[in-house]
Amino acid sequence: MQIFQVIEAALTKPPIPHEPYKQSLKAWAMYCLRDRGFKVVYAQNADFAIEPKGGDKIYFKVTNNADDVDNSCAWIVWDSVAKTASLIPPSS
């Protein structure tokens, strides 16, 4: 679960702030993860995935609405009021 702590740090202390009028949440999240050295790849049934070294792909979806979250994969949720992103790891 240490990898999720690194991912959460990438989103809570981003290299650039998320500005919804400039970039999508998906593009911003992918940029933040790439900036931390993650290999971000295409995912057919999610918004994107990362490939950790020596591990299985971790699939992500992004949303502005916490009600969208399900157990299908990890989620990145943007809170437009607090202007913060949070990570919800997959529940397995």
Side-chain angles (χ1 to χ4, degrees):
M1 284 304 182
Q2 183 180 3
I3 191 165
F4 288 108
Q5 293 170 337
V6 176
I7 294 168
E8 189 166 33
L11 300 171
T12 56
K13 298 177 183 109
I16 59 170
H18 175 48
E19 299 171 301
Y21 55 90
K22 284 187 177 179
Q23 80 272 50
S24 70
L25 178 59
K26 176 182 170 182
W28 175 81
M30 290 170 59
Y31 176 84
C32 291
L33 294 170
R34 283 188 182 117
D35 185 69
R36 289 289 175 109
F38 287 102
K39 182 178 178 184
V40 180
V41 296
Y42 169 81
Q44 185 171 347
N45 295 325
D47 289 323
F48 61 90
I50 61 168
E51 288 183 333
K53 290 180 178 134
D56 294 330
K57 282 184 184 178
I58 302 171
Y59 295 91
F60 289 88
K61 291 185 181 178
V62 297
T63 185
N64 293 320
N65 183 354
D67 294 335
D68 293 341
V69 175
D70 58 25
N71 293 332
S72 64
C73 61
W75 283 83
I76 296 170
V77 181
W78 178 254
D79 181 344
S80 58
V81 175
K83 302 213 181 312
T84 58
S86 59
L87 172 69
I88 300 173
S91 52
S92 37

